[in-house]
């Protein structure tokens, strides 16, 4: 029988969380999670994160409709990073791409744009 893992949040109360597609293992995005976001994710089955820039909890897809249904939450060996294995609805990246990792360091576009951010978010 296994024991629950205690997540090691940093001094700001956060841990990084990588979202990975359950369908094809594509790395979709990286965001940060605090205890409340993790609890909300576990309660609802949909991904919640903590926005460091806005200093608030956010439900992935709350404004775009591009939600992440969390199939499994994994924790790394040091218990200081999470992996959300998700079913992604629409694109994960706010720029319209399937994944936030849609370009190489040299600027080559390697990902697929799956929605128009102007249509989803408007002028901002």
């Amino acid at each position: 029988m296994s024991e629950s893992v205690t997540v090691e949040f940093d001094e700001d109360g956060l841990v990084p969380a990588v979202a990975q597609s359950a369908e094809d293992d594509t790395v979709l995005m990286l965001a940060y999670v605090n205890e409340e976001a993790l609890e909300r994710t576990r309660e609802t089955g949909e991904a919640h994160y903590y926005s460091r820039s806005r200093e608030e909890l956010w439900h992935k897809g709350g404004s775009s409709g591009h939600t992440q249904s969390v199939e499994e939450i994994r924790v790394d060996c040091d218990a200081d990073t999470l992996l959300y294995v998700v079913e992604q609805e629409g694109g994960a990246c706010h720029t319209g791409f399937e994944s936030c990792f849609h370009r190489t360091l040299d600027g080559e576009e390697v990902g697929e744009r799956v929605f128009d951010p102007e249509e989803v978010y408007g002028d901002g």
Side-chain angles (χ1 to χ4, degrees):
M1 186 163 185
S2 59
E3 287 184 35
S4 288
V5 176
T6 300
V7 176
E8 297 295 328
F9 294 93
D10 69 13
E11 60 276 357
D12 295 321
L14 302 171
V15 295
V18 175
Q20 179 184 38
S21 169
E23 181 180 334
D24 64 9
D25 295 335
T26 298
V27 175
L28 299 170
M29 58 178 276
L30 173 116
Y32 288 83
V33 172
N34 64 6
E35 282 189 65
E36 182 182 3
L38 181 56
E39 286 175 28
R40 194 78 57 85
T41 298
R42 293 181 83 180
E43 288 170 3
T44 66
E46 291 198 346
H48 287 74
Y49 299 100
Y50 182 81
S51 170
R52 296 177 301 162
S53 60
R54 294 188 315 265
E55 298 183 350
E56 65 184 19
L57 188 74
W58 60 282
H59 172 216
K60 176 65 177 159
S63 58
S64 68
H66 299 168
T67 57
Q68 294 175 341
S69 296
V70 179
E71 291 192 359
E72 186 175 40
I73 301 173
R74 298 182 188 175
V75 62
D76 78 334
C77 55
D78 295 321
D80 62 1
T81 303
L82 300 176
L83 176 68
Y84 284 4
V85 180
V86 305
E87 286 291 334
Q88 176 69 49
E89 180 68 36
C93 186
H94 72 281
T95 63
F97 285 84
E98 176 184 30
S99 168
C100 291
F101 299 96
H102 61 269
R103 58 190 172 170
T104 68
L105 194 55
D106 293 327
E108 179 186 356
E109 208 166 89
V110 294
E112 179 184 355
R113 180 164 267 153
V114 294
F115 72 92
D116 181 351
E118 280 293 313
E119 290 178 10
V120 172
Y121 302 111
D123 293 330

